[in-house]
Amino acid sequence: MRGAMVGGAGYMAGKSAAKHSAQQSEQEQRLSDLEAQQAPPAAQAAPAAAGGLDPAAIEQLKQLAELRDSGVLTTEEFEAQKQKLLGG
């Protein structure tokens, strides 16, 4: 009986670690996708309106906010990505 309990606990711990690893991998992929979107070639980048952001940057901020709100990004990760977008 004791062996079954130890084995079951080990199984659950492994399953939990695998789930966490998959979530972390998914989060890293989403961040990579967003970073790739925010780095258009300089020659093709549309100039931003005076005092404003270009529409692509606004869309990326919305996507980042959705990821933060859904729990994929932490507040710190969101703020770091936001600062990259805003150029500072």
Side-chain angles (χ1 to χ4, degrees), residues 41-79:
Q44 294 180 358
L53 294 173
D54 64 53
I58 293 170
E59 184 60 34
Q60 289 171 358
L61 282 172
K62 288 179 184 178
Q63 290 175 352
L64 286 170
E66 287 175 11
L67 290 173
R68 181 200 55 208
D69 295 343
S70 67
V72 174
L73 291 178
T74 64
T75 302
E76 293 80 19
E77 292 167 330
F78 169 77
E79 290 297 328

Side-chain angles (χ1 to χ4, degrees), residues 20-63:
H20 178 70
S21 177
Q23 287 176 337
Q24 194 170 18
S25 177
E26 179 182 335
Q27 177 180 353
E28 288 175 12
Q29 181 61 41
R30 288 181 177 182
L31 284 173
S32 294
D33 292 346
L34 284 172
E35 287 174 348
Q37 289 176 1
Q38 73 186 27
Q44 294 180 358
L53 294 173
D54 64 53
I58 293 170
E59 184 60 34
Q60 289 171 358
L61 282 172
K62 288 179 184 178
Q63 290 175 352

